Amino acid sequence: MIENVKVAVVGVGNNTSALVQGISFYRATGSLVGIHRPEIAGLGVGDIEFVAAFAISDAKVGEDLHEAIFLPPNNFPRLDAELPPSGVTVQRGLVDSTEIERVAHALKGAEVLLYSAPSGRPETAQAHAEAALRAGVAFVNTTSDAIAREPIWLKRFEDAGLPLLGDDLASQFGTSVVHHALLQLLQERGLTLISSYQVNLGGTEDFRNLAENSNTKKQSKLNALGSDKVQLAPLGYLSHLRSQKIAHLNIEAQGWGETEVSLDVRLKVLDPSGAAGVNIDLIRIAATALRSGRGGYPAEAASLLKSPPGTAI
């Protein structure tokens, strides 16, 4: 029997709520709905055990993880899954580099650190990556802050024999994935792209933060799309959307005889679900690489990330 992956998570927001609830749901039901890879190297979606959690919210610090995921401003809905106390008390995360050793000590016993804090705080991301290095733990960066794209960080994890996965997850069925697929389809079918844009609206705290700190996210989205003819409107935060994301895509192209082709798409998803559907794979890829002694960036994670190593910062 394969041992459960022991995971620590930084950030107890909507994405963590969706992941924690979903793991319990799939473990209890055996459902395969919404699952991309039922197993990775023998690890199922229920073979995950949370051993530590970190947040900076005063309301969440000190609470059991299974209680903290439902505290405001989290607004991801409750799934049909029983969640008895987890036994994991949420600890205070890092806000700067002065307490790295404290967090590194708290990571002892974990195999993977899932960094799921808000984007736009590069110093905080780097401090947690340092803590993972000191603790001997694989690091998964789900944010658009550059860690895996930085050659110095990548080399340090390679030298330590620790996996480093990042940056910025590509949601299971999100705007960037859909947009990229449509642009690729145009190219495959011989059409010429004239212009394209996307507009993203959401109501989670992650969206609010990204609307205020959009620089790294914009570049990461452009990395995922791979075209200089795409324009991105500033992210829009609308609180009444709660954990829903609504995206509008437009593509203008030319076909045979330079005739016009125009496409408009509206996508509506629960944004945290899209994150959880990818995080469950990133965690298992990281654990598999760690257990097989492969340090650095595992190439099999590329399709799950917007900005893997080698893309622009």
Side-chain angles (χ1 to χ4, degrees):
M1 182 176 179
I2 294 181
E3 185 178 352
N4 284 352
V5 180
K6 293 179 172 56
V7 176
V9 60
V10 175
V12 186
N14 281 302
N15 290 355
T16 297
S17 177
L19 180 64
V20 170
Q21 290 191 70
I23 289 170
S24 293
F25 172 81
Y26 286 112
R27 187 183 292 140
T29 65
S31 171
L32 294 178
V33 174
I35 298 296
H36 180 210
R37 305 180 194 179
E39 286 193 0
I40 294 178
L43 291 166
V45 296
D47 297 331
I48 307 296
E49 178 184 349
F50 290 94
V51 297
F54 303 88
I56 59 173
S57 165
D58 289 337
K60 294 173 183 175
V61 173
E63 297 293 326
D64 185 89
L65 176 62
H66 287 177
E67 294 293 332
I69 58 174
F70 297 113
L71 294 176
N74 289 14
N75 52 28
F76 184 75
R78 288 180 180 261
L79 301 181
D80 186 16
E82 289 189 18
L83 285 174
S86 67
V88 174
T89 300
V90 177
Q91 303 175 58
R92 190 168 299 280
L94 292 164
V95 293
D96 55 42
S97 60
T98 61
E99 291 191 294
I100 290 174
E101 200 57 46
R102 172 181 63 83
V103 172
H105 180 75
L107 290 175
K108 297 298 183 183
E111 295 176 277
V112 177
L113 177 57
L114 179 70
Y115 184 72
S116 189
S119 294
R121 302 172 183 173
E123 295 84 2
T124 306
Q126 292 167 14
H128 284 94
E130 180 65 37
L133 270 171
R134 294 187 190 183
V137 173
F139 190 72
V140 178
N141 178 31
T142 73
T143 78
S144 56
D145 297 320
I147 300 293
R149 280 171 289 170
E150 291 281 8
I152 292 175
W153 282 106
L154 187 58
K155 186 176 189 310
R156 290 187 67 196
F157 274 85
E158 286 175 346
D159 291 346
L162 298 172
L164 173 60
L165 285 68
D167 300 312
D168 200 9
L169 62 83
S171 291
Q172 191 174 20
F173 199 75
T175 317
S176 296
V177 168
V178 173
H179 203 165
H180 180 266
L182 291 171
L183 294 174
Q184 197 167 36
L185 182 61
L186 256 67
Q187 186 176 19
E188 290 174 357
R189 304 301 292 177
L191 281 78
T192 299
L193 177 66
I194 303 301
S195 65
S196 184
Y197 68 78
Q198 65 170 258
V199 179
N200 291 276
L201 307 170
T204 65
E205 281 297 291
D206 288 338
F207 243 90
R208 183 181 67 79
N209 175 70
L210 286 170
E212 298 169 357
N213 303 283
S214 61
N215 289 343
T216 59
K217 191 67 173 181
K218 181 178 180 180
Q219 183 59 61
S220 189
K221 277 183 166 290
L222 290 173
N223 289 343
L225 295 172
S227 173
D228 58 4
K229 294 184 178 180
V230 177
Q231 289 187 304
L232 304 177
L235 295 173
Y237 170 69
L238 300 173
S239 59
H240 73 273
L241 290 179
R242 298 179 65 79
S243 60
Q244 292 180 120
K245 179 172 76 174
I246 296 176
H248 299 273
L249 308 177
N250 169 265
I251 294 175
E252 302 294 332
Q254 289 182 325
W256 177 263
E258 298 186 357
T259 54
E260 293 184 1
V261 175
S262 183
L263 177 67
D264 288 284
V265 176
R266 179 180 184 270
L267 173 68
K268 180 180 178 181
V269 294
L270 280 176
D271 205 29
S273 292
V278 172
N279 280 336
I280 191 65
D281 288 357
L282 290 173
I283 288 169
R284 292 180 292 168
I285 290 171
T288 300
L290 181 72
R291 292 175 178 184
S292 60
R294 289 187 292 137
Y297 173 69
E300 59 268 34
S303 65
L304 306 176
L305 299 161
K306 288 190 181 80
S307 296
T311 55
I313 297 176

